[in-house]
Amino acid sequence: MSENTSRPGSRPAQGAGDEPPPFRYGARMAGEIEARWQSRWEADGTFHAPNPAGSLAGGFDRMAGCPKFMIMDMFPYPSGAGLHVGHPLGYIATDVYARYLRMTGHNVLHPFGYDAFGLPAEQYAIDTGQHPAVTTERNIAAMRRQLRQLGLGHDQRRELATTDPGYYRWTQWIFLQIFNSWYDDRAGRARPVAVLVAEFASGEREPVGEANPDGLPWDELSPAQRRQVVDGYRLAYIGTELVNWCPGLGTVLANEEVTADGRSDIGNYPVYRRPMRQWMLRISAYAQRLIDDLDRVDWPESIKIMQRNWIGASDGAVVDFPVAPHEGRAQAPGAPGQEPGAAARVSVFTTRPDTLPGATYLVLAPEHPMVDQLVADRWPEGTPPAWRYPQGAPAGAGPAGAVGAYRAVAARLSDRQRTQEEPGKTGVFTGSYVINPMTGERVPAFVADYVLLGYGTGAIMAVPAHDDRDLVFARAFGLPVRAVLAPPAGWLASHSLPPGAPATRWPAAFTGEGGYLDLGVPGLPRAATLRAGTEAAAGWLASRGFGRAARSYRLRDWLFSRQRYWGEPFPIVYDSTGLPVALPDSELPVTLPEMSDFRPRPQADETSEPEPPLARAVDWANPVLDLGEGRRRYRRELNTMPQWAGSCWYYLRYLDPANTARFTGEEDERYWLVPPGAAPGDGGVDLYVGGVEHAVLHLLYARFWHKVLYDLGHVSTREPFQRLVNQGYIKADAYLDARGMYVPAGDVSAAPGGGFSYRGAPVTARAGKMGKSKKNAISPDDVYTAYGADTLRLYEMAMGPLDTDRPWRTDDIVGVHRFLQRLWRTVIDEQTGAPRVTDGPLDETAIRRLHATIKAVRRDIGAIRFNTAIARLMELGTHAAKVAAAGPGVPRALAEPLVLMTAPFAPHIAEELWAALGHPRTLAYEPFPEFDAALAAEQQVTLPVQIDGKTRFRVQVPAAAQRDEIAAAVTAHPEYARWTQGAVVARLVIVPGRIANVVTGAPAARP
């Protein structure tokens, strides 16, 4: 009988004239079995995991003494396109593991939910004219149906969606915990703002900050000034930050929504970089803890490296460059936070303070807040024309006009465009000079787009002799190049330079380690090593008040505002002072107003301000509230939170989703997240599975929120996820026509003579991720119809290791389907539907094979090597089929453990077979088969080893050992070297299970 198939959607074909037996396992029977067991599991609450306390505590006594385990998948977004077969890979894997753990005696929490807020849902609603709440619920229902058909054993009582007001009430509550906290550097943790206010009032801490430029004591500040000072310390604050402003769309875009040429991904509108007031979360305060605590978690090292690189810790020094008096201005005004009346200083972070004597100019990012203070009234005498931005400034423009023109051009460039390595660099002189604190020289201050505000302090000291970008800029503007380090002779020779050639002749910057030159800086010792030079320079700066040793981080604070409708509203209002006021818990949740027009309103140009859609809900936006001072009118925050907000803490809500008094129950949180005997602070979700695409942002943001909650005493662990596993991608061929457009992969056929064609025209195959946009997505519904869900589950787990990418091959599915058919007919008579089992004993071969398989399957599932576990099950299944065919049936002692071991992978057919074997209860909690170590041990055989036909020694090898394994055992034996000493081994002849013969080209030396 043929069971071939080429595409999902087609049933395995029967041979000509064959009438299948009435009880043959096929797609129709699989569908019936699967639907029946899914309904029974749901009705019986089979996968309900009891809590130790609260509304879900029923049945906890039954699990008393059982080890607990929490396993979860990364939050999916419910797309309108539905699932393709690549999406469930991780979901199946966690279900396999969870089912195995239940069978090994664990209380397993395996929840699921939907990350449903965000731009995709809103954009889809705008495009279709439907409210996002309607489309989101429809998408969730469709995804829920597809996942239910897979037989996933989730605790459905705990299902949640971020768009549920009962859920985002607590998202808002957590935001208020962050808002009402500050990071105490002395204590190394977040503390309530009330503690900070008390320290200000008692004089224990000085109220320093931009809101108190005159350094007044707390009791001399007005109430509004006090609030502003405190707001400057909060972990959630309003700051002016560079954003991607798209007036054509009327909204700020994330970096991922901006194309490489600085336009919007949607609509292709120009995008401008400009400062705007936005909500920010002070994640940078946690930078070092986020690095250090990676050592506490069991994550892939590649993910830890990605996080460390994103945080980007750099050791060096902050250097203060005093602004030099210049014509028309005796002294530049002090910068914010500097002493009143003091000369302004430009602060620079550098990892190489030892090269400060070679700094010949300074560069500030176009958006740097001190640019306006540095711009001179007129050009200093002798300013070169090239410094005045002649290619972009109006004719005859002074410093203000030239710098303004340059900044306008820079605002149209993305960070990617600004930092590209290009032959030339652009910039403009501010008309001001700063003082190099080590040399005392006046050096010009430029504005250039290759410096980003988000790096370091947004200003750099330029050392062109030892930095390639600085050298390119210096050559373009005719700036001095002064060496601090002498290159070795080899470097000079490689650039065709004589020994001692001055830096002005170098064709490239010397960026390696060399000997320090004597530059005559008073009090600065001439160091012998880079480390000593860096430390000496930092100490020199600190002792003279021009800087200090410092650690800088690439990580910037989290921009937390979106000018969108479909997101969590902020629990913030503004009073008559324009300052933010936190709403009390009694006002939560702040729900979204009902709106029919939630499209962001396009604006005229880059200078316009965004108008969030919520501004059009006038009554909602301007409520009258009693917040302790009588009924007053307030103005709501009109931005919404980003999509990341809801996914920062959902694992905590899974623990106690019905709790209306707290975001999660305290006892439940300790039970599920803290392992027995763990040190204080250790623990987290036991296993978290998801794609590597979330390696940085989602995981970093969730860790930040969790650490704030930990500092405030709301959770028990330092980290949210103790173990992380990244699943690979399922890839599939996509096909491009002559226009470079994707064509439906399902309609492509092999062309005569090779290649592929679509509707008679040649197309080009391209391997990649499966997805709707590439028209190569395969719906799991098609596979359900053709084979059943158990076949899909088994196939995806058998394709390869979980953490690697694997190609989808439709023709390969039939192999695992045949395994399930063989398992079925080994246990069930296809004509009568009755079990074909006997109570007879197993022979020694079957016993040993069974125990070896149990040992291997336990080991491989425990190590999440599902593909190798399936391979061993298939071997045992083949043996069981032979046993059944040779007699009246398969012994129960072989059939039952085979069914139980198959259950985690193909639970529906396993449940059906288990019931047919006479067990009325589900096998979900049946003990997983145990092995006898002696019986599971591989059988050994002793092979004689001959040297030129005479037996000289013997080796023991596994009975199933193949040639390579036997050869390794022979050559590793000490007698091998003894008997072949001085001989040339011509070949090694091996007959597995019988003999090994070493043939030499000369007589072997006798011992």
Side-chain angles (χ1 to χ4, degrees):
M1 180 178 292
S2 171
E3 296 180 359
N4 234 347
T5 185
S6 59
R7 300 220 176 261
S10 63
R11 294 174 180 271
Q14 304 294 334
D18 287 348
E19 185 67 30
F23 293 95
R24 166 153 296 178
Y25 182 83
R28 179 190 56 77
M29 179 179 288
E32 293 172 356
I33 290 172
E34 288 162 4
R36 180 166 62 254
W37 280 101
Q38 288 157 15
S39 296
R40 176 169 169 180
W41 292 332
E42 188 173 329
D44 294 350
T46 300
F47 307 113
H48 291 178
N51 279 351
S55 61
L56 301 184
F60 186 73
D61 291 345
R62 175 175 55 87
M63 304 304 295
C66 296
K68 64 87 188 175
F69 199 93
M70 182 177 182
I71 182 171
M72 54 180 277
D73 305 277
M74 288 188 183
F75 233 5
Y77 165 71
S79 166
L83 297 177
H84 59 65
V85 292
H87 288 126
L89 178 64
Y91 308 153
I92 297 170
T94 54
D95 190 62
V96 168
Y97 199 59
R99 288 176 178 273
Y100 170 73
L101 289 172
R102 290 189 192 96
M103 297 176 75
T104 55
H106 290 74
N107 184 18
V108 179
L109 173 54
H110 189 199
F112 201 80
Y114 303 92
D115 191 10
F117 269 134
L119 180 59
E122 182 172 329
Q123 195 61 47
Y124 181 76
I126 290 171
D127 294 342
T128 60
Q130 302 176 76
H131 196 281
V134 174
T135 58
T136 297
E137 183 51 47
R138 185 170 65 238
N139 294 345
I140 289 175
M143 190 171 180
R144 186 187 293 123
R145 175 191 61 79
Q146 287 184 303
L147 294 176
R148 183 180 186 273
Q149 285 183 270
L150 271 174
L152 302 178
H154 298 138
D155 186 341
Q156 295 169 326
R157 303 169 302 170
R158 301 174 189 260
E159 181 186 285
L160 55 85
T162 54
T163 50
D164 179 0
Y167 178 84
Y168 70 73
R169 167 199 176 180
W170 296 107
T171 305
Q172 293 170 342
W173 180 86
I174 296 174
F175 172 83
L176 291 178
Q177 302 306 300
I178 299 172
F179 175 77
N180 287 320
S181 302
W182 63 294
Y183 197 84
D184 185 350
D185 287 321
R186 299 174 187 172
R189 62 183 177 87
R191 303 177 71 191
V193 159
V195 175
L196 176 66
V197 172
E199 291 186 0
F200 286 154
S202 68
E204 181 182 343
R205 190 181 295 266
E206 294 295 324
V208 298
E210 293 185 13
N212 186 15
D214 297 326
L216 297 176
W218 182 253
D219 57 6
E220 293 183 22
L221 296 174
S222 69
Q225 287 175 313
R226 291 181 181 181
R227 287 174 60 186
Q228 288 175 310
V229 168
V230 171
D231 287 350
Y233 283 78
R234 295 181 187 273
L235 288 178
Y237 65 96
I238 298 173
T240 299
E241 295 291 326
L242 275 179
V243 297
N244 300 311
W245 167 233
C246 181
L249 290 176
T251 189
V252 169
L253 301 179
N255 288 335
E256 307 84 58
E257 298 165 327
V258 181
T259 63
D261 58 351
R263 304 183 74 86
S264 63
D265 185 45
I266 297 174
N268 198 36
Y269 294 103
V271 176
Y272 303 92
R273 295 283 287 167
R274 56 166 288 190
M276 282 189 178
R277 287 176 60 78
Q278 303 281 316
W279 276 100
M280 308 292 296
L281 299 189
R282 207 180 302 273
I283 189 174
S284 61
Y286 282 82
Q288 193 58 48
R289 283 174 59 183
L290 289 168
I291 292 174
D292 293 343
D293 286 351
L294 286 171
D295 294 334
R296 297 178 175 274
V297 293
D298 180 10
W299 290 13
E301 188 58 32
S302 60
I303 302 299
K304 293 184 179 182
I305 290 172
M306 291 171 71
Q307 290 225 344
R308 292 188 186 107
N309 290 343
W310 187 269
I311 298 167
S314 300
D315 290 314
V318 171
V319 183
D320 294 329
F321 288 77
V323 178
H326 55 74
E327 302 169 24
R329 182 185 296 165
Q331 180 175 290
Q338 295 178 352
E339 291 295 327
R345 293 186 174 195
V346 180
S347 294
V348 168
F349 174 79
T350 175
T351 59
R352 295 295 304 273
D354 57 312
T355 63
L356 179 55
T360 58
Y361 64 98
L362 204 72
V363 183
L364 290 84
E367 307 85 5
H368 196 290
M370 284 196 69
V371 168
D372 289 335
Q373 301 172 49
L374 290 173
V375 173
D377 302 327
R378 58 185 180 274
W379 296 117
E381 185 175 350
T383 299
W387 292 18
R388 306 183 187 197
Y389 191 45
Q391 67 270 42
V403 171
Y406 186 84
R407 294 173 89 177
V409 172
R412 291 174 170 83
L413 301 177
S414 66
D415 287 354
R416 206 176 333 172
Q417 290 173 302
R418 288 170 55 174
T419 54
Q420 285 174 347
E421 295 295 334
E422 294 182 352
K425 297 292 181 189
T426 64
V428 59
F429 179 41
T430 62
S432 290
Y433 291 81
V434 296
I435 305 298
N436 183 323
M438 276 194 176
T439 65
E441 296 173 318
R442 284 163 38 104
V443 297
F446 283 81
V447 171
D449 60 15
Y450 78 91
V451 176
L452 303 178
L453 186 62
Y455 177 80
T457 64
I460 66 162
M461 64 178 211
V463 185
H466 303 297
D467 184 276
D468 288 318
R469 293 189 308 168
D470 295 346
L471 181 60
V472 172
F473 191 93
R475 294 267 162 83
F477 288 86
L479 294 159
V481 180
R482 180 187 300 124
V484 178
L485 297 161
W491 186 88
L492 292 169
S494 69
H495 291 85
S496 303
L497 294 171
T504 53
R505 293 181 55 191
W506 297 354
F510 172 63
T511 58
E513 291 192 32
Y516 284 99
L517 298 171
D518 186 0
L519 300 176
V521 178
L524 181 65
R526 188 173 176 182
T529 65
L530 172 62
R531 180 175 180 179
T534 300
E535 292 176 351
W540 189 96
L541 291 165
S543 66
R544 288 159 176 78
F546 287 112
R548 66 189 186 282
R551 169 169 279 199
S552 179
Y553 300 92
R554 179 175 175 267
L555 179 68
R556 315 319 291 175
D557 285 345
W558 178 6
L559 194 155
F560 202 68
S561 294
R562 296 292 184 271
Q563 292 71 42
R564 290 285 181 171
Y565 169 75
W566 195 236
E568 296 92 342
F570 281 89
I572 294 289
V573 294
Y574 299 89
D575 62 14
S576 57
T577 67
L579 297 175
V581 178
L583 290 174
D585 291 355
S586 60
E587 291 290 327
L588 304 183
V590 178
T591 57
L592 288 166
E594 288 294 329
M595 297 180 67
S596 57
D597 178 16
F598 36 80
R599 184 189 303 268
R601 188 160 293 172
Q603 302 298 311
D605 54 42
E606 67 268 29
T607 64
S608 56
E609 295 294 325
E611 182 185 310
L614 290 175
R616 298 196 286 276
V618 178
D619 292 340
W620 179 90
N622 298 276
V624 175
L625 303 169
D626 185 352
L627 301 181
E629 298 180 349
R631 291 182 61 78
R632 298 185 180 184
R633 186 168 297 280
Y634 294 86
R635 175 175 56 87
R636 289 195 192 276
E637 172 59 60
L638 301 178
N639 290 326
T640 53
M641 300 184 198
Q643 184 174 354
W644 304 105
S647 62
C648 279
W649 73 282
Y650 67 114
Y651 57 96
L652 294 168
R653 192 61 179 171
Y654 280 149
L655 306 179
D656 192 12
N659 196 324
T660 58
R662 203 172 184 274
F663 72 106
T664 197
E666 294 179 88
E667 187 175 349
D668 296 332
E669 183 266 338
R670 287 192 298 272
Y671 172 77
W672 287 112
L673 296 190
V674 181
D682 286 353
V685 173
D686 295 292
L687 180 60
Y688 194 33
V689 176
V692 71
E693 66 271 18
H694 299 299
V696 176
L697 296 183
H698 159 61
L699 290 172
L700 205 59
Y701 294 156
R703 294 179 66 212
F704 165 56
W705 277 40
H706 192 90
K707 288 181 183 303
V708 175
L709 292 173
Y710 175 74
D711 287 353
L712 299 177
H714 297 306
V715 295
S716 307
T717 65
R718 295 183 183 90
E719 289 286 329
F721 313 115
Q722 177 56 37
R723 186 182 181 194
L724 173 70
V725 170
N726 296 123
Q727 86 267 14
Y729 294 115
I730 288 183
K731 296 190 172 183
D733 286 339
Y735 300 90
L736 295 165
D737 62 16
R739 303 167 299 163
M741 305 296 290
Y742 288 106
V743 301
D747 296 334
V748 172
S749 58
F756 302 93
S757 66
Y758 170 69
R759 295 182 179 176
V763 291
T764 303
R766 178 179 295 175
K769 288 175 61 177
M770 187 177 289
K772 179 182 178 183
S773 63
K774 295 182 179 179
K775 299 185 178 180
N776 64 345
I778 298 171
S779 170
D781 293 346
D782 296 336
V783 185
Y784 299 157
T785 301
Y787 299 100
D790 277 340
T791 295
L792 176 61
R793 289 172 59 106
L794 198 65
Y795 175 61
E796 295 209 2
M797 294 298 96
M799 291 169 76
L802 179 62
D803 59 353
T804 62
D805 297 343
R806 72 284 310 276
W808 178 269
R809 295 285 183 262
T810 299
D811 292 347
D812 293 345
I813 301 175
V814 70
V816 294
H817 186 67
R818 284 173 176 164
F819 164 70
L820 294 180
Q821 289 183 312
R822 185 165 55 247
L823 174 64
W824 177 267
R825 62 175 172 263
T826 297
V827 179
I828 300 296
D829 188 309
E830 291 184 318
Q831 294 295 336
T832 66
R836 300 179 61 238
V837 296
T838 69
D839 292 323
L842 297 180
D843 61 29
E844 184 178 355
T845 299
I847 289 175
R848 289 189 173 277
R849 188 183 291 269
L850 172 62
H851 283 267
T853 302
I854 295 171
K855 178 182 178 181
V857 170
R858 273 183 164 268
R859 177 194 64 219
D860 291 345
I861 295 181
I864 314 185
R865 296 195 298 265
F866 301 142
N867 58 315
T868 54
I870 291 170
R872 296 301 296 263
L873 283 174
M874 287 183 170
E875 292 173 2
L876 184 63
T878 299
H879 182 75
K882 291 178 180 178
V883 171
V890 62
R892 183 179 294 273
L894 178 59
E896 291 194 345
L898 178 58
V899 169
L900 289 173
M901 286 190 286
T902 303
F905 302 100
H908 308 91
I909 189 174
E911 288 274 23
E912 191 75 6
L913 292 174
W914 189 248
L917 289 169
H919 303 283
R921 296 172 57 184
T922 174
L923 56 62
Y925 294 91
E926 286 295 322
F928 201 83
E930 302 274 0
F931 65 90
D932 182 299
L935 294 174
E938 288 191 277
Q939 287 183 291
Q940 301 284 312
V941 295
T942 301
L943 301 183
V945 180
Q946 294 183 342
I947 308 293
D948 294 323
K950 294 185 177 181
T951 300
R952 299 298 187 185
F953 61 94
R954 288 173 170 78
V955 294
Q956 274 201 331
V957 295
Q962 299 302 304
R963 284 181 171 81
D964 289 347
E965 188 175 354
I966 295 172
V970 169
T971 57
H973 197 285
E975 290 294 304
Y976 176 82
R978 182 181 179 208
W979 285 100
T980 58
Q981 182 180 359
V984 177
V985 176
R987 64 185 185 276
L988 177 58
V989 180
I990 294 173
V991 180
R994 296 184 61 187
I995 196 169
N997 189 12
V998 180
V999 180
T1000 69
R1006 296 291 183 255

